[in-house]
């Protein structure tokens, strides 16, 4: 009977194309709703990230997929099978935690083999699969070492091998690189990406690190206050944020509260609260924006800075330089506009000498480089 069910479940998963599905999922803790009606379909073989600030519900969502937290309402399916009554150890998933959760009294080899021993696999199978997992994460030379004798990156590799040795359908990653320093985190991002491509498994990662999510993911779900604000590719999340929260949370941006004064399918005429007149591209929506209140988003790297008035005066405004932060390849500027608005600008380190703080400076951006997002 169990084999028949498994076959049917795989057929269902093949039909939907999803390894993990959440349908109207809620989670309530002591009367407080942590996850609010999440609908989510994660495709087989994709690297999917759940991104958001602390307390947004992303870790709770991952824990429900793993089975560590139960659902208060809704449905959760893995490979087409309803998981409501399935305990964590019987789900086709494994989790890699930020803390690694390695056993300090066991060697690398013993840590990786632990799950297989619990499942009472044969000695020969354990030896083969552990060796395969160590090779996958390049830890063969450290097989007899204990966790205390390993670096943070090496411990992370052991944690990955321990999860992968069980051959899960879905690998869950809970802030997997959060405990590493910046340089090592960058290196491990490459390792994770290579591992995902090599294995072809479904990876689901929870993170608050925007750059990490943008660089690793096929798709990203941005969460806020227990809800998903947007699910999209990294490029569209950054270039076409659907809400002001997503625009502000993903990367850096300048936001102007504004009102639509005129509309064309490819262009909006905007007046900001402080009286700036702009031409702005509309957000791509099923219902075109023609009126109402919006927020205009302008990314710092889209803004050009000059000491003379540009020939193209569309979206061109006068200001004064207030702060400069040297970042090596780029320079970060803070500019106060005459209107009273404050802008952050990011430019390649090639602009040359800048004027004193009391002399005029001009900022300008193209209509296609800013975006109007509805506020309702």
């Amino acid at each position: 009977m169990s084999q028949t069910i498994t076959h049917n479940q795989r057929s269902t998963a093949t039909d939907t194309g999803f390894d993990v599905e959440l349908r109207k999922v809620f989670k309530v803790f002591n009367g407080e709703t942590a996850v609010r009606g999440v609908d989510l379909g994660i495709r087989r073989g994709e690297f999917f990230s759940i991104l958001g600030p602390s307390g947004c519900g992303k870790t709770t969502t991952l824990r429900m997929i793993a089975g560590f937290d139960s659902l208060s309402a809704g449905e959760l399916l893995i490979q087409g099978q309803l998981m409501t009554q399935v305990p964590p150890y019987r789900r086709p998933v494994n989790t890699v935690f930020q803390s690694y959760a390695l056993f300090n009294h066991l060697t690398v080899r013993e840590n990786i083999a632990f799950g297989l021993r619990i499942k009472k696999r044969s000695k020969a199978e354990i030896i083969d699969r552990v060796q395969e997992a160590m090779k996958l994460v390049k830890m063969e030379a450290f097989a007899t070492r204990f966790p205390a004798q390993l670096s943070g990156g090496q411990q992370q590799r052991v944690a990955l091998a321990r999860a992968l040795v069980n051959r899960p359908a879905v690998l869950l990653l809970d802030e997997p690189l959060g405990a590493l320093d910046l340089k090592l985190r960058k290196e491990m991002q490459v390792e994770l990406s290579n591992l995902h491509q090599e294995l072809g498994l479904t990876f689901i990662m929870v993170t608050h690190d925007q750059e990490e999510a943008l660089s690793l993911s096929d798709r990203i779900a941005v969460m806020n206050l227990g809800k998903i604000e947007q699910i999209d590719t990294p490029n569209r999340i950054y270039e076409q944020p659907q809400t002001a929260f997503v625009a502000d949370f993903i990367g850096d941006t300048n936001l102007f509260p504004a009102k639509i004064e005129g509309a064309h399918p490819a262009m909006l005429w905007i007046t900001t609260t402080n009286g700036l007149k702009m031409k702005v591209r509309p957000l791509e929506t099923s219902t075109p924006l023609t009126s109402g209140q919006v927020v205009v988003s302008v990314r710092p790297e889209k803004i050009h800075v000059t000491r003379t008035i540009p020939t193209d005066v569309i979206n061109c405004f006068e200001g004064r330089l207030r702060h400069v932060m040297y970042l090596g390849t780029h320079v970060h500027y803070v500019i106060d506009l005459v209107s009273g608005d404050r802008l952050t600008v990011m430019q390649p380190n090639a602009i040359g000498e800048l004027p004193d703080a009391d002399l005029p400076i001009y900022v300008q951006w193209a209509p296609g480089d800013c975006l109007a997002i509805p506020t309702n």
Side-chain angles (χ1 to χ4, degrees):
M1 177 64 76
S2 60
Q3 291 179 342
T4 305
I5 291 172
T6 302
H7 174 77
N8 290 339
Q9 288 158 4
R10 287 178 179 169
S11 297
T12 304
T14 301
D15 293 339
T16 64
F18 296 127
D19 256 353
V20 177
E21 294 177 80
L22 283 75
R23 300 173 180 172
K24 296 287 186 293
V25 168
F26 286 80
K27 181 61 182 177
V28 180
F29 292 106
N30 300 320
E32 296 291 329
T33 306
V35 175
R36 303 170 181 269
V38 166
D39 280 303
L40 187 57
I42 299 170
R43 299 165 187 152
R44 182 174 303 102
E46 78 174 330
F47 199 125
F48 191 94
S49 290
I50 305 174
L51 177 65
S54 296
C56 72
K58 59 186 185 295
T59 298
T60 299
T61 300
L62 194 80
R63 288 178 59 84
M64 286 191 290
I65 296 172
F68 302 139
D69 288 339
S70 62
L71 279 63
S72 299
E75 293 182 335
L76 168 65
L77 292 85
I78 299 178
Q79 292 191 318
Q81 181 184 4
L82 194 62
M83 290 285 121
T84 308
Q85 303 298 328
V86 180
Y89 64 88
R90 293 192 59 191
R91 298 188 182 193
V93 304
N94 270 106
T95 306
V96 177
F97 300 97
Q98 178 180 346
S99 61
Y100 315 135
L102 300 178
F103 298 110
N104 291 324
H105 65 289
L106 300 181
T107 65
V108 166
R109 180 183 285 114
E110 290 166 343
N111 262 284
I112 297 171
F114 184 81
L116 297 177
R117 295 189 190 282
I118 292 296
K119 293 181 179 180
K120 302 188 184 305
R121 303 296 186 188
S122 69
K123 185 175 181 180
E125 182 183 1
I126 291 173
I127 291 171
D128 289 344
R129 285 171 61 170
V130 168
Q131 190 62 32
E132 178 187 359
M134 286 194 297
K135 184 177 180 181
L136 197 61
V137 298
K138 303 178 179 64
M139 287 297 291
E140 309 103 295
F142 303 89
T144 58
R145 292 195 186 182
F146 292 90
Q149 299 171 310
L150 303 175
S151 68
Q154 289 168 340
Q155 289 183 46
Q156 183 60 278
R157 286 186 173 91
V158 176
L160 281 166
R162 187 177 60 182
L164 293 169
V165 78
N166 291 309
R167 298 176 181 171
V170 180
L171 185 66
L172 306 177
L173 303 157
D174 185 8
E175 301 275 8
L177 310 181
L180 305 178
D181 62 55
L182 180 61
K183 185 174 185 298
L184 189 52
R185 192 157 66 241
K186 298 286 188 186
E187 292 174 1
M188 285 302 297
Q189 284 177 13
V190 176
E191 295 277 358
L192 266 182
S193 181
N194 290 340
L195 200 58
H196 175 253
Q197 292 178 26
E198 184 176 347
L199 295 172
L201 296 177
T202 301
F203 280 28
I204 304 175
M205 179 176 71
V206 156
T207 182
H208 66 273
D209 189 313
Q210 303 150 33
E211 183 182 330
E212 191 169 278
L214 289 170
S215 63
L216 288 172
S217 310
D218 297 311
R219 287 190 304 149
I220 299 170
V222 181
M223 288 192 73
N224 180 37
L225 300 176
K227 295 182 178 181
I228 292 180
E229 297 253 342
Q230 184 173 349
I231 302 174
D232 227 320
T233 63
N235 177 266
R236 284 188 57 83
I237 286 280
Y238 188 82
E239 300 290 348
Q240 282 280 326
Q242 300 294 299
T243 67
F245 173 83
V246 174
D248 192 35
F249 185 75
I250 302 295
D252 295 319
T253 196
N254 299 283
L255 297 175
F256 299 89
K259 181 182 179 182
I260 298 175
E261 302 288 358
H264 181 274
M267 190 71 64
L268 297 175
W269 286 263
I270 299 287
T271 301
T272 71
T273 301
N274 288 340
L276 297 178
K277 304 289 186 180
M278 299 184 191
K279 288 184 179 180
V280 180
R281 67 185 168 113
L283 182 68
E284 296 176 8
T285 59
S286 55
T287 304
L289 285 174
T290 57
S291 63
Q293 299 295 317
V294 295
V295 173
V296 176
S297 170
V298 190
R299 296 290 187 188
E301 70 275 12
K302 306 287 188 182
I303 301 172
H304 304 284
V305 180
T306 63
R307 285 176 288 178
T308 57
I309 299 177
T311 54
D312 185 356
V313 294
I314 297 174
N315 298 343
C316 178
F317 308 104
E318 180 183 339
R320 299 293 185 274
L321 184 64
R322 288 293 173 253
H323 185 70
V324 179
M325 184 179 295
Y326 179 76
L327 301 174
T329 58
H330 287 75
V331 182
H332 178 274
Y333 308 109
V334 177
I335 296 171
D336 286 343
L337 301 184
V338 172
S339 65
D341 295 290
R342 173 163 285 192
L343 284 182
T344 59
V345 181
M346 187 74 73
Q347 295 282 283
N349 186 14
I351 197 170
E353 188 177 351
L354 289 163
D356 295 330
D358 58 344
L359 294 177
I361 195 169
Y362 298 90
V363 296
Q364 190 268 333
W365 57 86
D369 286 337
C370 52
L371 181 66
I373 304 168
T375 57
N376 47 20

